[in-house]
Amino acid sequence: MRRLFERKLPVFIIIATVVALVTVGIFSAANRKTSVVENIGGSLAMPAQSTASGIGGWLKGVFGYFGDVKALKEATETLKNENAALQKQINDMQGLKKENDDLKRMLDLKERSVNISMVATTVSAKDPSNWYSSFTINVGKNEGIERNQPVVDSNRYIVGQIAEVGENWARVMTVLDPQSSMGGYIRRSKEIGIIEGNSELKYDKMCRLSYIARDTDIQKGDFVETSGLGGIFPKGLIIGTVSDIYDDNSTMSRIATVTPLADIAKVSDVFVVTGYTEKDLSIPENAQVEEDDVDEDNEDNEESNE
Amino acid sequence: MKKRNVIFYLVWLVVLVIFQPTLMQGIRILGISPDMFLVFVVCAGLLRGRGDGAVIGFIFGLIFDLLVGEFIGISAILYMYIGLCAGIIKERFVNDRVFVSALVIASSAFVYGIIYYIVYYIGFKDLGFGTALFKTIFPKTLYTALAGFLLFVPIRKSFKLIEDKMF
């Protein structure tokens, strides 16, 4: 049997090479759908991977406990200082908020509120190859998960988006992954661009904001959030802050490197945004009318008193 | 094909599918984890010869590709040739020495990394060779070789439990 196989080994190798090359060609195409084999395999592996992931997390927690004590003391001191500074900022900002509300009322700006429906889940497995930035979560089609839905952490900072979906699992492509792409919006200057993953920046846990005009007002530290263009992502989910800005001579535009606020390397609990609705919270026009009416009434009263 | 050989390889496959994306990612150093699929394929070639090495390399590589979800088939080809080469080394030169196995694993991991980088670069075109070499390929080669050095003996013991050859 062994000799028979060894005579057939060259044939097996040639056929296997051709088959594998064909699959590389077919499955490397962008935006491909999840194959049946992947779906079944993922579904079968999910319970065991979830358990193994839990054991790994527990071991990490046990070994990390003693090292964490010193770090916790330092963190407490830092947090105390930060707390005092933040308290002062809150006091200052309360005054600014009131002023801002008054100004908005005067300008009749439309303020929107986004109601987001989310599915909570945990990371069960990570990219095993180290070439990409993705992870698997233990919810899928059964929980209403669909491709391209945004994934956020507990602070509602963008982590990534759904790349593939199985029955009870989904693969999340983080914003650091070279295939990741979404609309970005610079909060301060109200300019838009495209947030893209980049293989070089991935090592520094950063992504980039591309296709922004040369004359765009952008500074280090500016907040970048989802633009909401395209209707897939809700507007206003924070992605990160601008770390660096440089000109891209090939496209005559500017590129900003962005550091995501979500701790993507350590994220363990995430939420998939399965839907959202936007409410218009602008102050109704008749509210202004009522105020005007009150003013007129006062004037009438003053006249009658005279 | 002996039934118990198939079960033996299936058990190893299940173990690797569960632990490579979970526990192995929990022991990352500088963002790099050891490639236990490659370690096992080289061990299969070194301990069982070119037939087992090539077939196990192809099947395990395909499963690894499905786990990664990108360029499906590339690891199947590379692991198949790595398993084949490990089998040839076993048959012509040496057999089951720990140091040799670590050396073969390191060489295989390095060649795999270089070829995977070429495919990756064709696909994405945004990663310099220097960055890939020093931040992924070299660290992964060293880490995988170390894992192979430490785990070769337990893997060899598991192989010795199944004395009959697969083909």
Side-chain angles (χ1 to χ4, degrees), chain B residues 137-153:
Chain B
I137 298 170
F138 266 147
K140 200 169 179 75
T141 298
L142 292 174
Y143 206 2
T144 304
L146 178 68
F149 183 78
L150 296 172
L151 295 174
F152 182 72
V153 174

Side-chain angles (χ1 to χ4, degrees), chain A residues 79-90:
Chain A
L79 286 171
K80 276 180 184 171
N81 294 335
E82 273 181 17
N83 192 32
L86 287 170
Q87 195 60 48
K88 187 179 176 301
Q89 274 185 16
I90 288 168

Side-chain angles (χ1 to χ4, degrees), chain A:
Chain A
M1 183 71 184
R2 183 168 173 259
R3 281 183 185 171
L4 181 70
F5 179 77
E6 285 194 352
R7 261 183 262 145
K8 287 182 179 175
L9 187 61
V11 179
F12 168 79
I13 287 170
I14 291 166
I15 293 170
T17 305
V18 172
V19 169
L21 285 173
V22 170
T23 56
V24 172
I26 293 169
F27 291 112
S28 62
N31 299 323
R32 66 185 179 82
K33 286 184 177 176
T34 310
S35 68
V36 177
V37 179
E38 280 177 281
N39 195 357
I40 295 168
S43 300
L44 290 174
M46 180 50 62
Q49 282 180 345
S50 296
T51 311
S53 188
I55 296 167
W58 180 78
L59 283 173
K60 211 172 173 182
V62 170
F63 288 116
Y65 176 79
F66 297 102
D68 286 348
V69 174
K70 192 185 170 192
L72 278 172
K73 276 185 180 175
E74 289 171 3
T76 309
E77 284 303 311
T78 313
L79 286 171
K80 276 180 184 171
N81 294 335
E82 273 181 17
N83 192 32
L86 287 170
Q87 195 60 48
K88 187 179 176 301
Q89 274 185 16
I90 288 168
N91 294 337
D92 294 345
M93 284 176 80
Q94 277 173 344
L96 287 170
K97 188 180 179 301
K98 189 179 179 306
E99 190 183 340
N100 192 28
D101 287 344
D102 293 344
L103 288 168
K104 269 186 182 174
R105 187 184 290 272
M106 285 167 70
L107 291 167
D108 194 23
L109 283 178
K110 286 191 173 182
E111 190 177 274
R112 293 176 314 158
S113 166
V114 181
N115 280 333
I116 297 175
S117 51
M118 299 191 288
V119 174
T121 182
T122 53
V123 176
S124 59
K126 290 187 176 177
D127 164 48
S129 72
N130 305 139
W131 287 95
Y132 308 95
S133 181
S134 63
F135 55 81
T136 309
I137 52 175
N138 54 10
V139 288
K141 282 178 192 167
N142 297 341
E143 289 79 16
I145 308 299
E146 291 171 14
R147 273 192 79 204
N148 297 324
Q149 284 176 339
V151 177
V152 296
D153 70 359
S154 52
N155 296 313
R156 287 199 183 181
Y157 297 146
I158 283 280
V159 171
Q161 56 190 305
I162 302 291
E164 284 179 78
V165 195
E167 294 304 320
N168 62 349
W169 63 275
R171 190 168 70 87
V172 177
M173 180 168 62
T174 77
V175 286
L176 307 181
D177 192 278
Q179 293 181 90
S180 168
S181 177
M182 65 184 76
Y185 177 79
I186 306 162
R187 187 189 277 178
R188 189 179 56 80
S189 59
K190 297 180 171 52
E191 297 277 354
I192 58 169
I194 304 289
I195 284 280
E196 295 175 317
N198 179 277
S199 299
E200 293 269 352
L201 293 172
K202 176 172 68 75
Y203 290 102
D204 300 320
K205 296 179 177 58
M206 291 195 286
C207 51
R208 65 183 194 180
L209 181 64
S210 307
Y211 306 109
I212 43 179
R214 280 275 169 97
D215 58 351
T216 297
D217 176 19
I218 181 168
Q219 294 170 7
K220 286 181 185 177
D222 278 353
F223 280 92
V224 179
E225 56 189 37
T226 51
S227 66
L229 297 175
I232 297 170
F233 280 38
K235 187 180 184 300
L237 293 174
I238 295 174
I239 298 166
T241 54
V242 173
S243 303
D244 198 11
I245 305 140
Y246 57 93
D247 292 334
D248 180 12
N249 292 326
S250 62
T251 59
M252 298 305 288
S253 62
R254 275 184 136 181
I255 290 176
T257 53
V258 174
T259 305
L261 287 181
D263 191 352
I264 289 166
K266 292 178 183 172
V267 73
S268 57
D269 298 309
V270 291
F271 300 85
V272 183
V273 178
T274 52
Y276 67 95
T277 51
E278 290 186 2
K279 271 186 186 174
D280 190 350
L281 291 184
S282 61
I283 295 147
E285 284 179 15
N286 53 358
Q288 188 63 42
V289 172
E290 281 170 13
E291 283 180 9
D292 293 342
D293 290 345
V294 172
D295 290 342
E296 280 172 16
D297 289 345
N298 288 339
E299 281 170 17
D300 291 344
N301 289 336
E302 281 167 15
E303 280 172 13
S304 61
N305 288 337
E306 283 171 8

